[in-house]
Amino acid sequence: MDALDARLLLLLTDSPRLNVLDCARRLGVARGTVQARLDRLTEQGILGGFPPQLNLAAMGYGLTAFAVIEIAQGQRTSVSEALDAIEEVCEVHATTGQGDLFVRMVARDHDDLQRVIDAVVSVPGVRRTSTSLALSTPVPPRVRPLLERLAYETNSK
């Protein structure tokens, strides 16, 4: 990635609905340059798409919880697939340390969270879970600081 790639991704991070021509105009480069860079960034797996940022609380899922899950050895794939089938499970990360999987899940309220947790603990291969409720999100998911650093570092080389 170079500075132009980083600037393009910053632009799309801030305004994901911009089309290629608008990006080219704002960056001061040719439309074909923007399209070629988007194609390359996609091929390299850096750019995976343009999903909208959704406010899950506004959609009725006001509770976010995180679970550390210990699983039976050799069951990561089957447990992950079963967790993927639970609609309220938003992310699953295989981890080192205390547990084997780190899971972010959402629920409508406390009763709904109990239902989701019951679904998680009933997955064959799940041995133990430890769940914590998120009280707030002082630092939401982000990539902007990384892109800004790449844009700056690339310019100084």
Side-chain angles (χ1 to χ4, degrees):
M1 271 187 55
D2 64 12
L4 182 57
D5 290 334
R7 288 181 23 231
L8 174 59
L9 292 174
L10 279 168
L11 184 61
L12 291 171
T13 297
D14 291 342
S15 304
R17 296 180 67 174
L18 287 178
N19 62 38
V20 174
L21 183 58
D22 288 333
C23 289
R25 286 179 179 152
R26 290 186 186 196
L27 294 170
V29 298
R31 181 196 173 286
T33 299
V34 170
Q35 186 63 60
R37 285 174 180 265
L38 288 173
D39 292 345
R40 182 177 45 76
L41 291 167
T42 301
E43 288 169 14
Q44 292 175 342
I46 294 170
L47 179 61
F50 297 94
Q53 291 182 354
L54 302 176
N55 181 335
L56 293 174
M59 293 172 51
Y61 292 92
L63 290 179
T64 297
F66 297 93
V68 175
I69 300 177
E70 293 179 26
I71 61 175
Q73 285 190 345
Q75 298 296 309
R76 183 177 47 84
T77 300
S78 62
V79 170
S80 297
E81 289 171 354
L83 292 173
D84 186 45
I86 300 171
E87 295 165 352
E88 293 83 2
V89 170
C90 298
E91 293 178 68
V92 177
H93 300 270
T95 61
T96 61
Q98 195 76 10
D100 302 300
L101 299 174
F102 187 73
V103 178
R104 181 173 67 96
M105 60 186 110
V106 296
R108 295 183 182 279
D109 54 35
H110 289 95
D111 290 334
D112 192 39
L113 179 60
Q114 184 63 62
R115 179 190 58 79
V116 175
I117 292 171
D118 290 345
V120 169
V121 298
S122 70
V123 169
V126 171
R127 290 203 169 156
R128 181 176 308 175
T129 66
S130 175
T131 305
S132 299
L133 284 178
L135 299 177
S136 66
T137 307
V139 180
R142 62 191 182 146
V143 296
R144 172 172 269 296
L146 298 172
L147 291 172
E148 288 173 345
R149 181 173 55 179
L150 285 170
Y152 176 74
E153 287 175 353
T154 306
N155 281 335
S156 65
K157 291 182 181 178

